[in-house]
Amino acid sequence: MFPISDDNPEPGVPFVTWGLIAACVAVFLLQYSLPPGEAELAVYHYGLIPGVLFGSTEMSDAPMPAWATLFSSMFMHGGLAHLGGNMLYLWIFGDNIELAMGRVRFLLFYLATGIAAALTHAFLVPASTVPLVGASGAISGILGAYLLLYPRGRVRVLFIPFPLILLRTFYVPALVVLGLWFAIQVFSGFMNPAEEAGVAFWAHVGGFVAGMVLVPFFKRRDVPLFHKAQPKVFDARASGRRGPWG
């Protein structure tokens, strides 16, 4: 199952969510406008390297303090698929969380959960010299918040069976979609040593848990936890879908 939109309308315009997507896309375009050698060097300069953060490794030509890469690493990505997957999840789930918190608190929440995710990974591999990049840690925090705020929200998912001719979409409660996603991250984290994994699964876990812990302190007072979403009225020809594919 692959989420492609949700049916959880809230009044308001998610300017911060749009801005974060635009910033990540802009940084990605800047990365890949560089010559190959400079693009790789940029990842090492602005990605989070645990060994540099904790002082076991030095980088003589670092353009910024190691702690600052906790922020810069959130806006870099390792490829088009990496960027596209992250931005899709941010588009689907970020708007509801922004509107439930307000713009300033949402931005602070996003950064805080991104830092929590990065530190989770860094503490597990404190001597690693492999850069960590991507918005997925912060987006995992959004998913954790969404699970507590809208567990009964309807998420439209794409089911990809074999053969592919049977492609179809249907709605699933957010509790199922996000609960399954979290379970996959935990399972993958145990099955793939953090030193060797190409994906920082424990960063996802750390961000998700941070999102669940922090959401009661960042949400507006009039927004309850475990809110029952009110989907739009729709039919098969004109559904009230939201998201880039909706």
Side-chain angles (χ1 to χ4, degrees):
M1 295 189 301
F2 190 77
I4 57 174
S5 66
D6 72 344
D7 185 32
N8 188 11
E10 294 286 351
V13 181
F15 287 115
V16 175
T17 299
W18 294 352
L20 290 170
I21 292 173
C24 288
V25 171
V27 170
F28 178 81
L29 293 176
L30 179 60
Q31 279 181 255
Y32 284 86
S33 69
L34 299 172
E38 292 183 25
E40 182 178 2
L41 187 61
V43 171
Y44 278 87
H45 279 166
Y46 300 105
L48 173 69
I49 300 177
V52 175
L53 181 66
F54 293 130
S56 63
T57 302
E58 292 187 3
M59 183 177 291
S60 58
D61 58 345
M64 61 170 58
W67 61 264
T69 62
L70 287 166
F71 296 95
S72 61
S73 62
M74 294 185 212
F75 296 92
M76 304 186 73
H77 288 84
L80 186 59
H82 188 202
L83 174 73
N86 279 348
M87 295 305 98
L88 175 63
Y89 272 72
L90 180 54
W91 178 272
I92 294 171
F93 300 104
D95 57 345
N96 290 101
I97 305 306
E98 176 181 347
L99 296 171
M101 293 180 175
R103 292 168 188 162
V104 173
R105 279 180 291 183
F106 172 69
L107 180 58
L108 294 175
F109 172 86
Y110 181 90
L111 296 174
T113 55
I115 290 172
L119 289 176
T120 299
H121 173 77
F123 278 120
L124 288 174
V125 286
S128 174
T129 58
V130 178
L132 174 70
V133 296
S136 55
I139 295 169
S140 297
I142 289 174
L143 302 186
Y146 198 103
L147 180 63
L148 287 191
L149 289 176
Y150 306 106
R152 290 177 284 185
R154 289 156 38 95
V155 179
R156 187 166 176 253
V157 300
L158 175 66
F159 182 61
I160 309 176
F162 184 82
L164 295 181
I165 194 172
L166 298 177
L167 284 175
R168 59 171 299 183
T169 64
F170 52 91
Y171 285 98
V172 179
L175 177 63
V176 174
V177 175
L178 301 180
L180 180 60
W181 181 91
F182 181 71
I184 290 172
Q185 305 311 304
V186 173
F187 177 78
S188 299
F190 280 119
M191 295 301 294
N192 299 276
E195 300 88 349
E196 303 173 9
V199 177
F201 295 110
W202 289 112
H204 299 168
V205 173
F208 192 95
V209 172
M212 295 182 71
V213 171
L214 293 176
V215 65
F217 304 99
F218 280 83
K219 71 177 183 66
R220 299 197 320 265
R221 291 183 180 180
D222 61 323
V223 175
L225 294 176
F226 312 112
H227 179 67
K228 184 176 181 180
Q230 298 295 328
K232 297 177 182 177
V233 176
F234 70 99
D235 59 34
R237 294 167 296 175
S239 66
R241 299 191 299 256
R242 296 175 50 180
W245 294 0

